Amino acid sequence: MGIPFEIVHKIEYFESDMSGKLSLPMILNLAVLSSKTQSDHLGVGQEEHLSRGLGWVILQYDVHIKRRPTVNEVIRIETQASQYNPFFVHRPFVFFDEQNEEIIRVDSIWAMLDIDNRRMARIPQDIIDKYSAERVKQINHIPRPDKITTTDDIIEKNYHVRYLDIDTNQHVNNSKYFEWMQDVLDLDYLKHHEITNINIKYENEVRLGQEVISQVAIADNVTKHRIMVAAHTSAEAIFTWRSV
Amino acid sequence: MGIPFEIVHKIEYFESDMSGKLSLPMILNLAVLSSKTQSDHLGVGQEEHLSRGLGWVILQYDVHIKRRPTVNEVIRIETQASQYNPFFVHRPFVFFDEQNEEIIRVDSIWAMLDIDNRRMARIPQDIIDKYSAERVKQINHIPRPDKITTTDDIIEKNYHVRYLDIDTNQHVNNSKYFEWMQDVLDLDYLKHHEITNINIKYENEVRLGQEVISQVAIADNVTKHRIMVAAHTSAEAIFTWRSV
């Protein structure tokens, strides 16, 4: 369901981390790029929804990684708005390598934000119609990530929100949360573990000048994450890794 | 002098800052992309010099900005290795917009690093020969940026080096210094000033896990910057801005 769309993208050196593989934030950025490009093609891009005081926000991602592509690889990303109801859109992304092997699959839940009052808005019918998504009562659900509990051992680090963390929606870009969640793990863990799954749920926006706390509870190949601003949860996630 | 080379690049949303214009770190990343791409074309890319235990490092940049391109603009970057001597290469970059107007000009001084002992190495003759640069006694000099002095009022902020700041050379990528130098300025300054010139000189590498201090002394439309690791200077720069 939904009009299919695709982009082709070459992985550049500045899109990789020290391993030479596509960085975690860039996985999201490239997924979002494919959906933005589709919206532009359909004539309902940023200019159109910003003119109505609306912006798309992502509420949840579920990312399955078979293999992260390396610098100079050319990948293809297929996407479509598959389902919608008046408040939510479900959008899958599939990343393929040059051998046409599926390497990354992302599910996502989107909503529209009223930019002035920072609240969720009803999705305009003429905008959603362009994508030919299936209208459903309830969109396909992404399970909520397991929470950090009071019995978990927590490691945490503080991060100051930087000027370049903020996007044109005037809040911290969703992809930056991955940087805080990954960076709190030590180098030894990151060198010996490769990411296979990320389920992240965004709860509250983070703004310029705020200080966030990135918390993690590690249990072998599973890490549970929470981003806090003071006593409020901004995002929760669960990462699954394989030993390398 | 030097074989000319060019790349064409579309500015994507994740390469911009909140103003919707190409971010400062991305100016450097795109310049370096054009030179890496040329090196690959000439058969003396990363694989070749890494196999000899060598890596290119940039010692100094002088960046002149008429206009930063915005998201979705397609730019063209021309570059060449113009001059060399046994230890240094001078390489200019010129960015053009779709109307073929010059929008950004970058001068740069490069050297080769022995990756194991982290010292400068003699540039292998067979590698530099490929670029057909002019051999000179002394390469064109970039003036040293004015230093912060003891009479300046200094504002400073600490930054912890993050996992994603490190590149495949195992040190902080040169472009990240711009983030620290820009972020120490407050939002009000950044909203009312547009960058026109950056002269940056790198002194010492910064490594994972280190804490840097980003210092700035502001005098109207000129900001002098210093990045320190403990008592050692890692980089100095002078930025020039115009009021907007």
Side-chain angles (χ1 to χ4, degrees):
Chain A
M1 287 292 163
I3 298 173
F5 189 78
E6 66 175 46
I7 63 166
V8 169
H9 182 85
K10 184 178 169 207
I11 311 300
E12 302 295 2
Y13 83 93
F14 48 76
E15 298 170 352
S16 76
D17 60 23
M18 65 191 284
S19 74
K21 295 175 189 169
L22 186 63
S23 73
L24 304 191
M26 277 307 302
I27 293 173
L28 293 198
N29 285 338
L30 292 180
V32 170
L33 176 64
S34 70
S35 75
K36 282 178 94 92
T37 309
Q38 178 176 37
S39 299
D40 288 342
H41 271 252
L42 296 174
V44 285
Q46 179 159 290
E47 223 170 287
E48 178 55 33
H49 56 74
L50 277 186
S51 74
R52 307 189 199 186
L54 299 171
W56 285 110
V57 290
I58 293 134
L59 303 178
Q60 201 171 356
Y61 279 113
D62 192 20
V63 187
H64 295 269
I65 300 162
K66 283 190 191 148
R67 179 175 79 77
R68 287 190 292 146
T70 56
V71 176
N72 289 334
E73 276 195 68
V74 176
I75 63 168
R76 185 168 58 84
I77 303 174
E78 286 185 1
T79 187
Q80 65 205 275
S82 59
Q83 297 181 324
Y84 79 101
N85 68 24
F87 290 98
F88 302 105
V89 176
H90 179 264
R91 182 183 274 278
F93 302 90
V94 189
F95 294 41
F96 295 93
D97 66 13
E98 283 163 286
Q99 286 69 50
N100 224 26
E101 291 288 329
E102 181 185 318
I103 53 174
I104 297 173
R105 176 176 289 267
V106 181
D107 262 325
S108 62
I109 310 289
W110 298 59
M112 263 198 163
L113 184 75
D114 181 308
I115 288 173
D116 283 336
N117 70 20
R118 316 305 291 178
R119 289 202 179 160
M120 267 176 50
R122 187 174 273 265
I123 301 167
Q125 193 63 40
D126 64 314
I127 289 183
I128 192 65
D129 280 348
K130 293 290 175 77
Y131 301 92
S132 298
E134 179 189 16
R135 182 172 173 131
V136 293
K137 266 224 161 109
Q138 283 215 307
I139 59 166
N140 277 342
H141 179 71
I142 298 177
R144 203 188 167 87
D146 283 354
K147 282 177 182 295
I148 290 176
T149 66
T150 50
T151 58
D152 287 321
D153 281 333
I154 294 176
I155 298 164
E156 63 179 40
K157 237 189 230 180
N158 287 21
Y159 294 89
H160 193 79
V161 176
R162 300 177 181 178
Y163 178 73
L164 289 181
D165 297 337
I166 306 297
D167 65 20
T168 50
N169 275 340
Q170 313 299 315
H171 59 195
V172 172
N173 186 272
N174 282 0
S175 69
K176 292 287 172 178
Y177 292 67
F178 279 14
E179 180 165 7
W180 300 327
M181 290 175 169
Q182 181 180 31
D183 191 69
V184 71
L185 295 164
D186 69 26
L187 183 62
D188 194 59
Y189 191 92
L190 293 172
K191 279 193 166 164
H192 294 101
H193 294 82
E194 175 65 21
I195 190 88
T196 60
N197 180 245
I198 297 172
N199 176 341
I200 184 167
K201 190 168 192 307
Y202 299 95
E203 303 282 356
N204 285 294
E205 296 183 284
V206 180
R207 313 296 291 270
L208 189 62
Q210 289 186 317
E211 187 92 9
V212 305
I213 307 164
S214 176
Q215 300 182 317
V216 64
I218 305 171
D220 296 327
N221 286 351
V222 174
T223 57
K224 290 188 289 185
H225 298 264
R226 185 163 58 196
I227 302 295
M228 307 284 290
V229 174
H232 296 281
T233 300
S234 298
E236 289 175 307
I238 187 160
F239 288 21
T240 312
W241 309 77
R242 60 182 166 77
S243 304
V244 288
Chain B
M1 286 290 167
I3 297 172
F5 190 77
E6 67 174 46
I7 63 168
V8 169
H9 182 84
K10 183 178 169 209
I11 311 300
E12 302 295 3
Y13 83 93
F14 47 77
E15 298 170 350
S16 76
D17 60 24
M18 66 189 282
S19 74
K21 297 176 189 169
L22 186 63
S23 74
L24 304 191
M26 277 307 301
I27 293 174
L28 293 197
N29 285 338
L30 292 181
V32 170
L33 176 63
S34 69
S35 74
K36 284 177 91 93
T37 309
Q38 178 177 38
S39 299
D40 288 342
H41 271 253
L42 296 174
V44 285
Q46 180 159 290
E47 219 170 289
E48 178 56 35
H49 56 74
L50 277 186
S51 74
R52 307 188 199 188
L54 298 171
W56 285 110
V57 290
I58 292 134
L59 303 179
Q60 201 170 354
Y61 279 112
D62 192 21
V63 186
H64 294 269
I65 300 163
K66 283 188 193 153
R67 180 175 80 78
R68 287 190 292 146
T70 57
V71 175
N72 290 334
E73 278 195 67
V74 176
I75 62 168
R76 184 167 60 81
I77 303 174
E78 287 185 359
T79 187
Q80 64 205 277
S82 59
Q83 299 181 322
Y84 80 100
N85 68 25
F87 289 97
F88 302 106
V89 176
H90 178 265
R91 180 182 274 279
F93 303 90
V94 188
F95 293 43
F96 296 92
D97 67 13
E98 284 163 284
Q99 286 69 49
N100 224 26
E101 291 287 330
E102 181 185 317
I103 53 174
I104 297 174
R105 175 177 289 266
V106 181
D107 262 324
S108 62
I109 310 289
W110 297 60
M112 264 197 160
L113 184 76
D114 182 308
I115 288 172
D116 283 336
N117 70 20
R118 315 306 290 179
R119 290 203 179 158
M120 267 176 49
R122 187 173 272 266
I123 301 166
Q125 193 64 41
D126 64 312
I127 289 184
I128 191 66
D129 280 349
K130 291 289 176 74
Y131 300 92
S132 298
E134 179 190 15
R135 183 173 173 130
V136 293
K137 267 223 161 113
Q138 283 214 309
I139 60 164
N140 277 343
H141 178 69
I142 298 178
R144 202 189 168 89
D146 283 355
K147 282 176 182 295
I148 290 177
T149 65
T150 50
T151 58
D152 286 323
D153 280 333
I154 294 176
I155 298 165
E156 64 180 39
K157 238 190 228 180
N158 287 20
Y159 294 89
H160 194 78
V161 176
R162 300 177 180 178
Y163 179 72
L164 288 182
D165 297 337
I166 306 296
D167 65 20
T168 49
N169 274 340
Q170 312 299 314
H171 61 195
V172 172
N173 186 272
N174 282 0
S175 69
K176 292 287 173 178
Y177 292 67
F178 280 14
E179 180 165 6
W180 299 328
M181 289 174 171
Q182 181 180 31
D183 190 69
V184 72
L185 295 164
D186 69 24
L187 184 62
D188 193 59
Y189 191 92
L190 293 173
K191 279 194 166 163
H192 294 101
H193 293 82
E194 175 63 23
I195 191 88
T196 60
N197 179 247
I198 297 172
N199 176 342
I200 184 168
K201 190 168 192 305
Y202 299 96
E203 303 281 355
N204 286 294
E205 294 182 285
V206 179
R207 313 295 292 270
L208 189 63
Q210 289 185 319
E211 187 93 10
V212 305
I213 307 164
S214 175
Q215 300 181 318
V216 64
I218 305 171
D220 296 326
N221 285 350
V222 174
T223 57
K224 291 187 290 184
H225 298 264
R226 186 162 58 195
I227 302 295
M228 308 283 290
V229 174
H232 296 280
T233 300
S234 297
E236 289 175 307
I238 186 159
F239 288 21
T240 311
W241 309 77
R242 60 181 166 79
S243 303
V244 288

